[in-house]
């Protein structure tokens, strides 16, 4: 019900064309020298931390870079799940509102106008065009990227069905087939990269970095990247997957982190990410001292996203 109400409010905001005018810095924001962290050798680009420096007229730090958080995990019951199509529709709405805000702007529009203004009441969910992050768990579904090979779904019959009866949805992200379902934390950032770094490789590495940091906070040791592939790995098993789409530097889709044992149940029906012979794992298999719930790990993931992207997350009221 809360999810349906949120979609209705977003639809009304879109129809009213209620896009906030934001104050932007009048001077260029300089970047400090970068220092890499958590880095393994990468041929797919590097992660470089965001270093924000304000100017004489405006402070630029995490407190001013406010991003909406559509959190369907923290206050939900353990079994509350969102249908894939519903979350996909929400992503598309948020992206279109971002694109409407950007409009036909110059190649390099003012920085930081995608963030929620400081004077705005955080209970005003009708704001359209702001950076947003969605956090949820899905009902079971296999998703295919734009050019994914259906042969990586076992028993796929060519008519869009498979004998496991798990829905198959082809979407507009990159990458091969993956699985979403209960026990897995899925995060969809809808961000205008003009306020971060206009580089898709940097963005992919930043998503991985946020996962690595969250896993570290949760006590998972040995998590790492692997050369020439996306995602995060523990003991040679994949614990998190990444797949995104960008349109005019606005992002959608995102990451999925396997938290509890339920998240692994249906990976046997596919070749995850098209990587033959590679296994998957979850947080609760990787640690002995604690068994995490989705809600508990979400706390670490939110903190990691704020740190890596230099933002403050504001939960919406639905």
């Amino acid at each position: 019900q809360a999810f349906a109400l949120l979609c209705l409010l977003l639809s009304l905001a879109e129809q009213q064309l209620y896009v906030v005018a934001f104050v932007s810095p009048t001077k260029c924001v300089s970047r400090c020298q970068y220092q890499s962290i958590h880095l393994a050798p990468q041929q797919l680009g590097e992660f470089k931390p965001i270093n924000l420096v304000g100017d004489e007229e405006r402070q630029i730090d995490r407190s001013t870079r406010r991003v909406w958080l559509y959190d369907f995990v923290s206050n939900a019951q353990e079994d509350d799940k969102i249908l894939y199509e519903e979350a996909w529709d929400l992503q598309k709405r948020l992206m279109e509102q971002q694109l409407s805000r950007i409009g036909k702007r110059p190649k390099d529009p003012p920085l930081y106008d995608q963030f929620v203004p400081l004077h705005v009441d955080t209970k005003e969910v009708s704001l359209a065009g702001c950076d947003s992050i969605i956090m949820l768990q899905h009902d079971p579904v296999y998703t295919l990227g734009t050019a994914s090979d259906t042969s990586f779904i076992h028993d796929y019959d060519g008519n869009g069905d498979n004998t496991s009866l798990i829905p198959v949805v082809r979407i507009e992200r990159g990458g091969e087939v993956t699985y979403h379902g209960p026990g897995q934390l899925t995060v969809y950032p809808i961000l205008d990269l003009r306020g971060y770094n206009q580089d898709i490789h940097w963005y992919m590495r930043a998503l991985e970095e946020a996962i690595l940091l969250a896993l570290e906070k949760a006590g998972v040791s040995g998590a790492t990247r692997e050369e020439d592939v996306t995602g995060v790995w523990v003991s040679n098993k994949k614990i998190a997957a990444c797949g995104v789409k960008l349109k005019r530097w606005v992002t959608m889709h995102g990451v999925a982190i396997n938290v509890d044992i339920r998240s692994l149940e249906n990976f046997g029906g596919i070749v995850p990410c098209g990587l033959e012979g590679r296994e998957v794992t979850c947080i609760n298999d990787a640690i002995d001292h604690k068994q995490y719930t989705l809600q508990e790990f979400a706390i670490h993931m939110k903190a990691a996203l704020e740190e890596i992207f230099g933002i403050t997350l504001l939960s919406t009221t639905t």
Side-chain angles (χ1 to χ4, degrees), residues 20-317:
V20 176
F22 299 89
V23 178
S24 300
T26 56
K27 296 182 180 180
C28 293
V29 177
S30 61
R31 308 290 190 199
C32 295
Q33 189 69 30
Y34 296 121
Q35 181 178 0
S36 298
I37 55 177
H38 278 126
L39 286 178
Q42 289 287 322
Q43 296 183 12
L44 302 175
E46 266 192 340
F47 169 73
K48 297 178 179 179
I50 294 175
N51 289 274
L52 302 172
V53 179
D55 54 35
E56 296 178 357
E57 299 184 20
R58 188 182 181 192
Q59 177 186 2
I60 302 297
D61 58 27
R62 282 172 53 176
S63 68
T64 63
R65 293 162 58 87
R66 309 200 312 166
V67 171
W68 287 127
L69 173 64
Y70 295 86
D71 187 351
F72 299 102
V73 173
S74 297
N75 297 318
Q77 298 297 316
E78 188 70 18
D79 291 331
D80 286 351
K81 299 175 287 294
I82 305 297
L83 288 172
Y84 189 84
E85 288 80 359
E86 291 180 0
W88 190 16
D89 183 64
L90 175 57
Q91 287 189 75
K92 288 185 282 190
R93 284 180 180 274
L94 292 172
M95 172 178 264
E96 285 306 314
Q97 290 169 356
Q98 285 264 33
L99 296 176
S100 295
R101 172 186 57 81
I102 294 169
K104 296 181 179 179
R105 292 194 172 191
K107 181 178 179 182
D108 297 311
L111 291 175
Y112 309 133
D113 67 349
Q114 72 262 38
F115 299 112
V116 181
L118 293 175
H119 67 274
V120 171
D121 186 341
T122 59
K123 295 182 180 179
E124 293 187 42
V125 73
S126 60
L127 281 174
C130 301
D131 277 6
S132 305
I133 294 178
I134 306 166
M135 193 171 287
L136 50 75
Q137 70 174 335
H138 280 301
D139 276 319
V141 64
Y142 294 135
T143 64
L144 294 160
T146 51
S148 294
D149 188 343
T150 56
S151 68
F152 291 127
I153 303 177
H154 304 318
D155 302 320
Y156 189 81
D157 66 5
N159 295 317
D161 297 317
N162 61 90
T163 56
S164 68
L165 301 181
I166 294 175
V168 177
V169 181
R170 187 175 289 276
I171 57 177
E172 63 273 73
R173 65 161 172 79
E176 285 292 345
V177 64
T178 195
Y179 168 73
H180 297 300
Q184 183 189 78
L185 182 65
T186 303
V187 183
Y188 297 128
I190 315 297
L191 306 178
D192 180 353
L193 290 186
R194 291 172 181 84
Y196 304 89
N197 189 335
Q198 287 179 253
D199 182 337
I200 188 172
H201 299 297
W202 174 88
Y203 178 60
M204 293 295 289
R205 304 294 77 78
L207 291 175
E208 293 167 348
E209 190 70 21
I211 297 166
L212 287 165
L213 182 57
L215 292 174
E216 182 182 277
K217 292 175 182 290
V220 177
S221 60
T224 186
R225 297 178 174 91
E226 287 199 0
E227 192 169 356
D228 295 329
V229 293
T230 62
V232 174
W233 306 75
V234 175
S235 300
N236 205 33
K237 299 177 181 179
K238 196 164 192 176
I239 199 168
C242 307
V244 304
K245 171 185 169 63
L246 271 68
K247 185 175 182 180
R248 287 156 57 192
W249 294 110
V250 176
T251 69
M252 66 181 295
H253 300 297
V255 303
I257 307 100
N258 302 327
V259 179
D260 67 47
I261 194 68
R262 295 174 300 157
S263 64
L264 307 181
E265 290 177 359
N266 293 301
F267 275 104
I270 60 173
V271 178
C273 304
L275 299 174
E276 297 277 3
R278 303 302 300 271
E279 297 181 57
V280 293
T281 190
C282 66
I283 291 171
N284 287 348
D285 272 357
I287 57 177
D288 297 323
H289 66 280
K290 179 178 176 60
Q291 292 293 285
Y292 274 91
T293 66
L294 214 65
Q295 289 83 355
E296 289 170 334
F297 181 70
I299 295 171
H300 296 311
M301 192 66 199
K302 286 184 283 188
L305 288 166
E306 288 183 319
E307 183 172 337
I308 296 304
F309 288 94
I311 57 176
T312 297
L313 292 173
L314 305 175
S315 292
T316 62
T317 301

